[in-house]
Amino acid sequence: MAAIELPSSLIPADGRFGCGPSKIRDEQLAFLSSLQPTVLGTSHRQAPVKDLVGSLRSGLADLFRAPEGYEILLANGGATSFWDSAVHSLISRRSQHLTFGEFGAKFGIAAAAAPFLEEPVIRQAEPGSRSEILPQAGIDLYAYPHNETSTGVMAEVRRAAGPDVDPGALTVVDATSAAGGIEFDAAETDVYYFSPQKNFASDGGLWFALVSPAAIERIERQTNGDRYIPESLNLAGALSNSRLNQTLNTPALATLALMEEQVRWINENGGLSWASARTAESSGVLYDWAEQSEVATPFVTDPAHRSQVVATIDFDDSIDASAISKALRANGIVDTEPYRKLGRNQLRIATFTSIDPDDVRTLTGAIDYILERL
């Protein structure tokens, strides 16, 4: 097939639509450059770096409208490290996990592998749908994703509640692809944790979490018990280090800098409400386009379950979605391929906060142009 060349009017100003790592704005790179040589290449135990960490923690607390007593933690590693830390430092005996995609399932797998915990309850849903919390006695931690990056399914952030919920049970939410892009009530969760390479348009190497007083109490109680907890997975260490605006080991300074500028940008534009409206506009453009198309349809059939930040669009069997993504990539529009393990004939398109809704509109025009020529 001959190469398809898009007219300039159908090429977005920025062609990055990947689900992580995500688009980084020029202003973030300028801020990173401004930290040379005062911050970059200097000790993370001294004021310049600790001030950067402190400013970022404060900005996140403002962004999330943190309730009284909630704190922002950070530590080395990504979400996988946090799952292992939570297994050691947050789950007392038994947890319940909602899985409706690749990433929600991984926390449950980590809990099931821990020899010191009881077998977790796994409530699995078919890809494209979601499972719900089932309150039950004997569960001390309920875990689920706010947004499932692999399938484009979004859940409401709600605390496990009801007469069958044990007193003191924690609600722990994986917010890696949701944080900074979807509105939520922080009082409805005890731990809201995430990696920064999605809506926060940063690099990897760190995890962050908004934690409640109840979660802090659980962390401290677990540490004072008889369970062995490796130092790098001990959330009590993350708590004490975060209060000092530092991490156990040297943090990724570029990650901190890119994220600091992104948090400032979101807060100055109206905070989480602004960011959530922006991602809802962008994803709405895609879903409306797909519903009007003769060959495309939203993968997530229930509109209430569709993600604001990761749109998954299925195509009719007569259309090779991989040919669309290849043609887009040849024109500088990248990372629209589906999640590899899902194995569907679809495009997966990020609509994170940094992505301009007008670029999403241009993208739909580009897809239509390619479809006409396939």
Side-chain angles (χ1 to χ4, degrees):
M1 184 182 71
I4 299 173
E5 183 176 349
L6 291 172
S8 59
S9 61
L10 292 181
I11 296 179
D14 194 302
R16 291 173 289 177
F17 294 96
C19 289
S22 64
K23 171 187 172 182
I24 295 173
R25 297 179 301 112
D26 291 344
E27 292 83 356
Q28 292 173 270
L29 295 178
F31 179 70
L32 174 63
S33 180
S34 76
L35 300 183
Q36 170 83 336
T38 56
V39 174
L40 301 179
T42 71
S43 171
H44 67 290
R45 303 295 188 198
Q46 299 301 317
V49 174
K50 295 178 74 167
D51 288 348
L52 176 65
V53 174
S55 177
L56 178 52
R57 292 179 65 226
S58 177
L60 285 171
D62 290 343
L63 179 67
F64 295 147
R65 299 181 294 271
E68 183 71 26
Y70 280 61
E71 299 185 40
I72 298 291
L73 307 189
L74 74 159
N76 307 100
T80 302
S81 296
F82 182 86
W83 294 325
D84 291 335
S85 296
V87 164
H88 285 82
S89 299
L90 278 175
I91 304 174
S92 293
R93 292 183 298 109
R94 196 180 192 202
S95 53
Q96 181 181 120
H97 301 261
L98 306 186
T99 69
F100 39 88
E102 179 75 12
F103 301 101
K106 289 184 176 180
F107 190 2
I109 291 171
F116 47 83
L117 296 177
E118 296 179 21
E119 187 71 18
V121 175
I122 307 296
R123 293 182 52 77
Q124 185 172 0
E126 290 299 314
S129 62
R130 75 183 188 211
S131 48
E132 305 290 344
I133 288 175
L134 177 63
Q136 61 187 106
I139 299 295
D140 58 77
L141 185 146
Y142 294 85
Y144 59 90
H146 189 181
N147 189 83
E148 179 51 66
T149 320
S150 65
T151 59
V153 174
M154 185 172 70
E156 294 182 76
V157 174
R158 288 191 176 177
R159 183 180 296 281
D164 294 326
V165 175
D166 286 2
L170 301 179
T171 299
V172 176
V173 177
D174 181 346
T176 289
S177 58
I182 303 177
E183 186 77 89
F184 78 105
D185 180 358
E188 289 291 325
T189 179
D190 292 296
V191 180
Y192 191 75
Y193 68 93
F194 53 93
S195 300
Q197 60 266 40
K198 312 292 185 177
N199 288 290
F200 291 116
S202 189
D203 280 336
L206 296 169
W207 62 255
F208 295 79
L210 174 70
V211 297
S212 72
I216 292 171
E217 190 276 333
R218 174 77 64 86
I219 290 168
E220 292 173 338
R221 186 170 73 248
Q222 293 291 101
T223 298
N224 293 328
D226 57 5
R227 178 183 298 171
Y228 168 69
I229 305 176
E231 184 178 13
S232 61
L233 301 178
N234 194 331
L235 291 179
L239 177 65
S240 60
N241 275 306
S242 296
R243 287 169 171 171
L244 296 173
N245 292 325
Q246 62 188 34
T247 51
L248 176 64
N249 301 119
T250 304
L253 297 187
T255 297
L256 291 169
L258 295 173
M259 189 173 174
E260 161 74 359
E261 166 57 26
Q262 184 78 346
V263 170
R264 182 204 60 76
W265 176 68
I266 296 173
N267 279 333
E268 287 186 354
N269 276 285
L272 195 56
S273 296
W274 171 80
S276 188
R278 183 174 166 95
T279 61
E281 178 184 353
S282 292
S283 57
V285 168
L286 286 166
Y287 294 133
D288 289 346
W289 169 83
E291 288 178 332
Q292 295 168 16
S293 171
E294 295 181 356
V295 295
T297 184
F299 170 51
V300 181
T301 57
D302 188 338
H305 296 179
R306 290 174 188 163
S307 169
Q308 291 178 212
V309 294
V310 176
T312 44
I313 307 297
D314 275 355
F315 285 84
D316 185 82
D317 289 342
S318 64
I319 301 297
D320 181 3
S322 67
I324 300 174
S325 61
K326 289 176 182 176
L328 290 170
R329 183 172 289 277
N331 285 270
I333 303 171
V334 301
D335 299 341
T336 61
E337 293 81 5
Y339 185 68
R340 61 194 183 281
K341 293 185 180 180
L342 196 57
R344 294 188 69 86
N345 185 41
Q346 70 176 208
L347 300 182
R348 183 177 63 150
I349 300 165
T351 55
F352 296 137
T353 307
S354 288
I355 294 171
D356 192 315
D358 285 340
D359 278 346
V360 179
R361 292 185 179 92
T362 303
L363 171 64
T364 61
I367 296 173
D368 281 335
Y369 186 93
I370 291 169
L371 285 171
E372 292 172 357
R373 287 156 178 80
L374 284 180

